[in-house]
Amino acid sequence: DGGITQSPKYLFRKEGQNVTLSCEQNLNHDAMYWYRQDPGQGLRLIYYSQIVNDFQKGDIAEGYSVSREKKESFPLTVTSAQKNPTAFYLCASKLAGYSYNEQFFGPGTRLTVL
Amino acid sequence: DAKTTQPPSMDCAEGRAANLPCNHSTISGNEYVYWYRQIHSQGPQYIIHGLKNNETNEMASLIITEDRKSSTLILPHATLRDTAVYYCIVRVVGGTSYGKLTFGQGTILTVHP
């Protein structure tokens, strides 16, 4: 079945360690997005990518990095520079070309930094 | 993108229609109204979107007022599985838009037996 996968579902890391969250899609979507969600809050955009080898900062990019070497994959690295990394991270994708197309979301990764 | 205002929570009896309101009084002509929902600890799910005409799909109906300053999402026969946070989002389409969705705090809909 087509969709977006994120792994792992739960992730624990020690403070000061970098950690990479996986996002893979087989929907042949061009655009991919990373959002962060804190308890009781809406989603905030971290990074987005509209095509391979290109990506742009969202509203809260500090302390995060991404790459887009393949159309299907958009991994997010949470670096030690992120002051408060514990959160629920969501990846999404959509077709490019028509910006009113819906975004499809993955199941999310819940990151806890100890 | 225009700001939206939603009630923080609503209740609905199972089998009845759930009507979720959204105010977007600063909406401009090239902005669409989108609705997503998020069931606890899952990724958001697209429900429906519209520009100015009422829209209906297999999940819900979207009623947009003539002045486009408010809208209502209607779940015609709510079930327990419809319990979720519902987000109303208004965003620009076209031009330099890159598809960014700005999520507020949404409405927590609780469907009870």
Side-chain angles (χ1 to χ4, degrees):
Chain A
D1 288 350
I4 301 176
T5 57
Q6 291 184 246
S7 61
K9 188 171 178 62
Y10 297 96
L11 189 57
F12 297 88
R13 280 294 182 269
K14 291 182 179 179
E15 191 173 350
Q17 288 182 333
N18 291 355
V19 59
T20 298
L21 281 59
S22 167
C23 178
E24 304 278 334
Q25 55 96 1
N26 61 3
L27 300 166
N28 200 31
H29 285 173
D30 302 285
M32 296 187 74
Y33 306 80
W34 273 105
Y35 293 87
R36 169 186 171 133
Q37 186 173 35
D38 293 287
Q41 303 297 315
L43 282 66
R44 292 183 291 168
L45 183 66
I46 304 172
Y47 267 98
Y48 66 100
S49 168
Q50 297 189 83
I51 56 172
V52 174
N53 292 323
D54 184 63
F55 48 84
Q56 304 296 328
K57 292 181 179 179
D59 298 321
I60 54 165
E62 185 175 353
Y64 300 97
S65 66
V66 294
S67 62
R68 187 86 187 276
E69 297 177 1
K70 299 186 299 182
K71 187 175 184 178
E72 310 79 40
S73 178
F74 191 40
L76 173 75
T77 297
V78 184
T79 74
S80 57
Q82 169 49 235
K83 299 302 181 188
N84 187 19
T86 294
F88 188 44
Y89 290 88
L90 289 154
C91 179
S93 70
K94 68 183 284 292
L95 286 169
Y98 295 99
S99 49
Y100 54 74
N101 286 338
E102 63 184 276
Q103 287 190 19
F104 291 83
F105 284 82
T109 292
R110 191 167 297 279
L111 172 65
T112 301
V113 175
L114 305 172
Chain B
D1 294 339
K3 180 180 170 62
T4 62
T5 304
Q6 299 178 251
S9 64
M10 294 183 66
D11 289 336
C12 178
E14 188 176 20
R16 306 297 292 267
N19 299 309
L20 290 88
C22 180
N23 286 322
H24 32 79
S25 58
T26 60
I27 194 170
S28 59
N30 63 345
E31 289 182 311
Y32 280 68
V33 180
Y34 282 75
W35 284 84
Y36 280 76
R37 73 180 183 184
Q38 186 176 24
I39 296 170
H40 183 62
S41 293
Q42 296 182 22
Q45 176 191 24
Y46 165 83
I47 302 174
I48 199 167
H49 74 275
L51 182 61
K52 55 182 179 181
N53 297 319
N54 297 338
E55 302 288 343
T56 295
N57 63 21
E58 65 278 5
M59 290 183 66
S61 294
L62 174 61
I63 309 297
I64 302 174
T65 58
E66 192 168 343
D67 63 7
R68 303 207 324 121
K69 294 185 177 183
S70 65
S71 60
T72 301
L73 179 74
I74 301 172
L75 308 179
H77 306 286
T79 71
L80 299 179
R81 287 175 294 181
D82 291 323
T83 293
V85 180
Y86 286 77
Y87 296 100
C88 170
I89 300 163
V90 173
R91 71 173 185 86
V92 174
V93 173
T96 58
S97 170
Y98 50 83
K100 170 188 171 182
L101 295 174
T102 300
F103 288 78
Q105 294 189 318
T107 295
I108 301 171
L109 174 68
T110 303
V111 181
H112 51 85

